[in-house]
Amino acid sequence: MNKFQAMEVFVQVVDCGGFTRAAENMKLPKATVSTLIQGLETSLSVKLLNRTTRHVSVTAEGAAYYERCMRILADVRDAEDCLVQTRVSPSGRLRIDAPTGLAIELIIPALPDFMALYPDIQVELGCSDRQVDLMEEGVDCAIRGGRKLSDSSLIARRVGTMHYLTCASPDYLQRHGRPQHPNDLAQHRCVNYFSARTGKVFDWYFKRDGEKIQVALSSHIALSDSYAYTAAGLAGLGIVQMADFLLAPMLQDGRIQSILEDWTNEPLPIHVVYPQNRHLSAKVRVFVDWVAQLFANHATLR
């Protein structure tokens, strides 16, 4: 038995919570994963995992062994990286997840530069406003916006700030008028945004001269995708709050108009997140640095 491979497989099984997902992430047959775990338990004379037909959980002994394995594997990869980075550029599959708007408007147009710098990295970019489970879905890192990061198992590096504007289509404003204060929105049609993961509808935020207002607005329509949300605003379905980097071209050609201009929204931090118990490989590190520089150079995301 290859003890090092068995340790890697064990860590992956614990991280994924099962043999099937671990096998998929490591591109190994499920039978191989099961055999390696059994061999590891036999060699250690201890039960590392509790198995049922539906669930795999780690034993107390397995949890202690998992922590040691993580440190050993990280030390080995650190040593490898020190040597590899002196000879070759970062390489391998890099699985990223990003919100649809940021991916399409900013990241994808700039990706040719990243891939020219690092031609040996194979990028897999998931584009969705759904918050993925990095460990379960085998994602190396994700770009997320939010004031609070709910998952304490992730390390977050702040790479930018997203600013929002309140706006509506000219057709909507002609039919319903222009609100003068956030409290007027209760008398208007507003388009809400909700979390695809939790179903929670997000509140609306405003501030002016030290005054802050947070309101939950009723709506006849709510959406969970940034591009669908943008389309709803353009279609005149109601007032929307949108990131200004998405709005810029629509404001310029008059397809949408800014309202409540003297009221601003709390900026939303943008982070790149990755699991704290997973070694930050060279390919992830260079991508995180590249994204941070990309956003730093953008006029509205700094």
Side-chain angles (χ1 to χ4, degrees):
M1 179 185 65
N2 183 323
K3 181 66 71 72
F4 185 78
Q5 183 187 28
M7 292 169 66
E8 288 186 308
V9 166
F10 171 66
V11 167
Q12 191 69 217
V13 169
V14 174
D15 287 343
C16 296
F19 286 72
T20 301
R21 180 67 69 178
E24 291 173 354
N25 287 350
M26 300 192 74
K27 294 180 171 54
L28 291 172
K30 184 179 177 181
T32 300
V33 170
S34 179
T35 299
L36 284 168
I37 295 297
Q38 290 175 3
L40 192 59
E41 289 179 322
T42 299
S43 70
L44 296 171
S45 299
V46 68
K47 187 176 183 181
L48 299 173
L49 299 169
N50 291 313
R51 307 164 179 80
T52 69
T53 56
R54 292 174 175 239
H55 185 64
V56 173
S57 62
V58 66
T59 65
E61 294 85 356
Y65 187 66
Y66 170 84
E67 295 298 330
R68 297 297 297 270
C69 286
M70 287 301 304
R71 289 196 292 269
I72 292 169
L73 294 174
D75 287 343
V76 171
R77 287 167 186 154
D78 276 336
E80 290 176 344
D81 277 353
C82 288
L83 295 175
V84 171
Q85 290 177 29
T86 64
R87 298 184 290 107
V88 298
S89 63
S91 63
R93 166 190 170 275
L94 176 63
R95 177 80 187 278
I96 310 156
D97 192 83
T100 305
L102 280 172
I104 294 176
E105 299 296 332
L106 297 173
I107 297 172
I108 293 175
L111 267 181
D113 294 334
F114 177 80
M115 300 182 81
L117 287 170
Y118 306 104
D120 296 323
I121 293 179
Q122 295 85 49
V123 174
E124 295 181 6
L125 175 59
C127 304
S128 169
D129 289 353
R130 178 182 67 91
Q131 186 169 301
V132 302
D133 186 315
L134 273 69
M135 299 302 301
E136 182 177 341
E137 300 182 42
V139 176
D140 293 299
C141 63
I143 300 172
R144 291 182 180 169
R147 296 177 180 87
K148 295 181 180 179
L149 296 174
S150 57
D151 193 339
S152 61
S153 68
L154 300 177
I155 293 176
R157 174 177 170 182
R158 184 165 176 166
V159 294
T161 304
M162 201 179 304
H163 302 270
Y164 285 78
L165 297 174
T166 309
C167 54
S169 70
D171 175 66
Y172 175 88
L173 295 175
Q174 184 177 7
R175 287 184 289 116
H176 299 281
R178 184 182 293 266
Q180 302 300 313
H181 189 277
N183 291 336
D184 297 339
L185 293 175
Q187 311 305 317
H188 279 263
R189 286 178 173 264
C190 297
V191 181
N192 274 327
Y193 189 93
F194 71 93
S195 167
R197 183 175 64 88
T198 66
K200 177 185 176 182
V201 174
F202 292 100
D203 290 346
W204 295 50
Y205 294 85
F206 300 90
K207 67 175 183 176
R208 182 183 67 179
D209 300 330
E211 180 184 4
K212 294 185 178 182
I213 298 176
Q214 177 181 347
V215 290
L217 294 171
S218 60
S219 68
H220 63 297
I221 184 170
L223 299 143
S224 64
D225 176 86
S226 55
Y227 268 23
Y229 189 80
T230 302
L234 291 172
L237 287 171
I239 295 171
V240 294
Q241 273 195 341
M242 294 165 50
D244 55 3
F245 78 89
L246 288 173
L247 277 176
M250 305 171 203
L251 289 169
Q252 290 175 1
D253 62 23
R255 284 179 291 162
I256 207 158
Q257 295 179 9
S258 178
I259 61 174
L260 299 173
E261 291 91 342
D262 52 342
W263 290 87
T264 59
N265 187 278
E266 288 285 347
L268 194 70
I270 306 172
H271 298 88
V272 178
V273 298
Y274 51 89
Q276 64 178 343
N277 60 352
R278 181 179 291 175
H279 176 70
L280 185 59
S281 64
K283 62 188 177 184
V284 175
R285 186 180 297 112
V286 297
F287 178 77
V288 172
D289 290 342
W290 177 81
V291 166
Q293 190 60 51
L294 177 67
F295 288 3
N297 292 336
H298 194 280
T300 65
L301 293 175
R302 289 179 290 197

